[in-house]
Coordinates of all heavy atoms in Angstrom, one line a residue:
G1 N 3.9 -0.2 20.1 CA 5.2 0.4 20.1 C 5.7 0.6 18.6 O 5.1 0.0 17.7
D2 N 6.7 1.4 18.5 CA 7.2 1.7 17.1 C 7.8 0.4 16.5 O 7.5 0.1 15.3 CB 8.4 2.7 17.2 CG 7.8 4.1 17.6 OD1 6.6 4.3 17.5 OD2 8.6 4.9 18.1
S3 N 8.5 -0.4 17.3 CA 9.1 -1.6 16.7 C 8.0 -2.6 16.3 O 8.1 -3.3 15.3 CB 10.1 -2.3 17.7 OG 11.2 -1.4 17.9
L4 N 7.0 -2.7 17.1 CA 5.8 -3.6 16.8 C 5.1 -3.1 15.6 O 4.7 -4.0 14.7 CB 4.9 -3.6 18.0 CG 5.0 -4.7 19.0 CD1 4.9 -6.1 18.4 CD2 6.4 -4.6 19.7
M5 N 5.0 -1.8 15.4 CA 4.3 -1.3 14.2 C 5.2 -1.6 13.0 O 4.6 -2.1 11.9 CB 4.1 0.2 14.3 CG 3.4 0.8 13.2 SD 3.0 2.6 13.4 CE 4.6 3.3 13.5
A6 N 6.5 -1.5 13.1 CA 7.4 -1.8 12.0 C 7.3 -3.3 11.7 O 7.4 -3.7 10.5 CB 8.8 -1.3 12.3
Y7 N 7.3 -4.1 12.7 CA 7.2 -5.6 12.5 C 6.0 -6.0 11.8 O 6.0 -6.7 10.8 CB 7.2 -6.2 13.9 CG 7.0 -7.7 13.9 CD1 8.0 -8.6 13.5 CD2 5.7 -8.2 14.2 CE1 7.7 -10.0 13.5 CE2 5.5 -9.6 14.2 CZ 6.5 -10.5 13.9 OH 6.2 -11.8 13.9
E8 N 4.8 -5.4 12.1 CA 3.6 -5.7 11.5 C 3.6 -5.2 10.0 O 3.1 -5.8 9.1 CB 2.4 -5.1 12.2 CG 2.2 -5.8 13.6 CD 1.0 -5.2 14.4 OE1 0.5 -4.2 13.9 OE2 0.8 -5.7 15.5
M9 N 4.1 -4.0 9.9 CA 4.2 -3.4 8.5 C 5.2 -4.3 7.6 O 4.9 -4.5 6.4 CB 4.7 -2.0 8.6 CG 3.7 -1.0 9.1 SD 4.4 0.7 9.1 CE 3.0 1.6 9.7
N10 N 6.2 -4.8 8.2 CA 7.2 -5.6 7.5 C 6.5 -6.9 7.0 O 6.8 -7.4 5.9 CB 8.4 -6.0 8.4 CG 9.4 -6.8 7.6 OD1 10.1 -6.3 6.7 ND2 9.6 -8.0 8.0
D11 N 5.6 -7.4 7.8 CA 4.9 -8.7 7.5 C 3.9 -8.4 6.3 O 3.6 -9.3 5.5 CB 4.1 -9.2 8.7 CG 5.0 -10.1 9.5 OD1 6.2 -10.3 9.1 OD2 4.6 -10.6 10.5
T12 N 3.3 -7.2 6.3 CA 2.2 -6.9 5.3 C 2.7 -5.9 4.3 O 1.8 -5.5 3.5 CB 1.0 -6.4 6.1 OG1 1.4 -5.2 6.8 CG2 0.5 -7.4 7.1
F13 N 4.0 -5.6 4.2 CA 4.5 -4.5 3.4 C 4.2 -4.7 1.9 O 3.6 -3.8 1.3 CB 6.0 -4.4 3.6 CG 6.6 -3.3 2.7 CD1 6.6 -1.9 3.1 CD2 7.2 -3.6 1.5 CE1 7.1 -1.0 2.4 CE2 7.8 -2.6 0.7 CZ 7.7 -1.3 1.2
D14 N 4.6 -5.8 1.4 CA 4.4 -6.1 -0.1 C 2.9 -6.0 -0.5 O 2.6 -5.3 -1.4 CB 5.0 -7.4 -0.4 CG 6.5 -7.5 -0.3 OD1 7.1 -6.4 -0.3 OD2 7.0 -8.6 -0.2
G15 N 2.1 -6.7 0.3 CA 0.7 -6.7 -0.1 C 0.0 -5.3 0.0 O -0.7 -4.9 -0.9
E16 N 0.3 -4.6 1.1 CA -0.3 -3.3 1.3 C 0.2 -2.3 0.3 O -0.5 -1.5 -0.2 CB -0.1 -2.9 2.7 CG -0.9 -3.7 3.8 CD -0.7 -3.1 5.2 OE1 0.0 -2.1 5.3 OE2 -1.3 -3.7 6.1
L17 N 1.5 -2.4 0.1 CA 2.1 -1.4 -0.9 C 1.6 -1.6 -2.3 O 1.2 -0.6 -2.9 CB 3.7 -1.5 -0.9 CG 4.4 -0.6 -1.8 CD1 4.1 0.9 -1.4 CD2 5.9 -0.9 -1.8
N18 N 1.5 -2.8 -2.7 CA 0.9 -3.1 -4.0 C -0.5 -2.7 -4.1 O -1.0 -2.1 -5.1 CB 1.0 -4.6 -4.3 CG 2.5 -5.0 -4.5 OD1 3.3 -4.2 -4.9 ND2 2.8 -6.3 -4.3
F19 N -1.3 -2.9 -3.0 CA -2.7 -2.5 -3.0 C -2.8 -1.0 -3.1 O -3.6 -0.5 -3.9 CB -3.4 -3.0 -1.7 CG -4.8 -2.6 -1.6 CD1 -5.8 -3.2 -2.3 CD2 -5.1 -1.6 -0.7 CE1 -7.1 -2.8 -2.2 CE2 -6.4 -1.1 -0.6 CZ -7.4 -1.8 -1.3
I20 N -2.1 -0.3 -2.3 CA -2.1 1.2 -2.3 C -1.7 1.7 -3.7 O -2.3 2.7 -4.3 CB -1.3 1.8 -1.2 CG1 -1.8 1.4 0.1 CG2 -1.2 3.3 -1.3 CD1 -3.2 1.9 0.4
T21 N -0.6 1.1 -4.3 CA -0.1 1.6 -5.5 C -1.1 1.4 -6.6 O -1.4 2.3 -7.4 CB 1.2 0.8 -5.9 OG1 2.2 1.0 -4.9 CG2 1.7 1.3 -7.2
I22 N -1.7 0.2 -6.7 CA -2.7 0.0 -7.8 C -3.9 0.8 -7.6 O -4.5 1.4 -8.5 CB -3.1 -1.5 -7.7 CG1 -1.9 -2.4 -8.1 CG2 -4.3 -1.8 -8.6 CD1 -2.1 -3.9 -8.0
L23 N -4.4 1.0 -6.3 CA -5.6 1.8 -6.1 C -5.3 3.3 -6.5 O -6.2 3.9 -7.1 CB -5.9 1.8 -4.6 CG -7.2 2.5 -4.1 CD1 -8.4 1.9 -4.8 CD2 -7.3 2.4 -2.6
T24 N -4.1 3.8 -6.2 CA -3.8 5.2 -6.5 C -3.7 5.3 -8.0 O -4.2 6.3 -8.6 CB -2.4 5.5 -5.9 OG1 -2.4 5.4 -4.5 CG2 -2.0 7.0 -6.2
M25 N -3.1 4.3 -8.7 CA -3.0 4.4 -10.2 C -4.3 4.4 -10.8 O -4.6 5.1 -11.8 CB -2.1 3.2 -10.7 CG -0.6 3.4 -10.3 SD 0.3 1.9 -10.7 CE 0.2 1.9 -12.5
I26 N -5.2 3.5 -10.3 CA -6.5 3.4 -10.9 C -7.3 4.7 -10.7 O -8.0 5.2 -11.7 CB -7.3 2.2 -10.3 CG1 -6.7 0.9 -10.8 CG2 -8.8 2.3 -10.7 CD1 -7.3 -0.3 -10.1
S27 N -7.2 5.3 -9.5 CA -7.9 6.5 -9.2 C -7.5 7.7 -10.1 O -8.3 8.4 -10.7 CB -7.8 6.9 -7.7 OG -8.2 5.9 -6.9
I28 N -6.1 7.8 -10.2 CA -5.6 8.9 -11.1 C -5.9 8.6 -12.5 O -6.3 9.6 -13.3 CB -4.1 9.0 -10.9 CG1 -3.7 9.3 -9.4 CG2 -3.5 10.0 -11.8 CD1 -4.2 10.6 -8.9
F29 N -5.8 7.4 -12.9 CA -6.1 7.0 -14.3 C -7.5 7.4 -14.7 O -7.8 8.0 -15.8 CB -5.9 5.5 -14.5 CG -6.2 5.0 -15.9 CD1 -5.2 4.9 -16.8 CD2 -7.5 4.6 -16.2 CE1 -5.5 4.5 -18.1 CE2 -7.8 4.1 -17.5 CZ -6.8 4.1 -18.5
M30 N -8.5 7.1 -13.8 CA -9.9 7.5 -14.1 C -10.1 9.0 -14.3 O -10.8 9.4 -15.2 CB -10.8 6.9 -13.0 CG -10.8 5.4 -13.0 SD -11.8 4.7 -11.7 CE -13.5 5.3 -12.1
V31 N -9.5 9.7 -13.4 CA -9.6 11.2 -13.5 C -9.1 11.7 -14.8 O -9.7 12.5 -15.5 CB -8.9 11.9 -12.3 CG1 -8.9 13.4 -12.4 CG2 -9.6 11.5 -11.0
V32 N -7.8 11.3 -15.1 CA -7.2 11.8 -16.3 C -7.9 11.3 -17.6 O -8.1 12.0 -18.6 CB -5.7 11.3 -16.4 CG1 -5.0 11.8 -17.7 CG2 -5.0 11.9 -15.2
A33 N -8.4 10.1 -17.5 CA -9.2 9.5 -18.7 C -10.4 10.3 -18.9 O -10.8 10.6 -20.1 CB -9.5 8.0 -18.4

């Protein structure tokens, strides 16, 4: 359900967001470099 998805995302939000952010930055960095 939507609320369950939000609950699970809330539990893993910080870790997943940081992982996606760093992965995106590294990928873009390598292309521009």
Side-chain angles (χ1 to χ4, degrees):
D2 291 342
S3 295
L4 266 299
M5 183 173 66
Y7 171 78
E8 292 178 358
M9 288 180 176
N10 184 66
D11 273 358
T12 59
F13 178 82
D14 291 340
E16 290 185 0
L17 180 62
N18 291 336
F19 175 76
I20 295 297
T21 300
I22 292 171
L23 184 63
T24 303
M25 291 174 64
I26 292 174
S27 301
I28 300 298
F29 179 89
M30 292 177 64
V31 172
V32 177

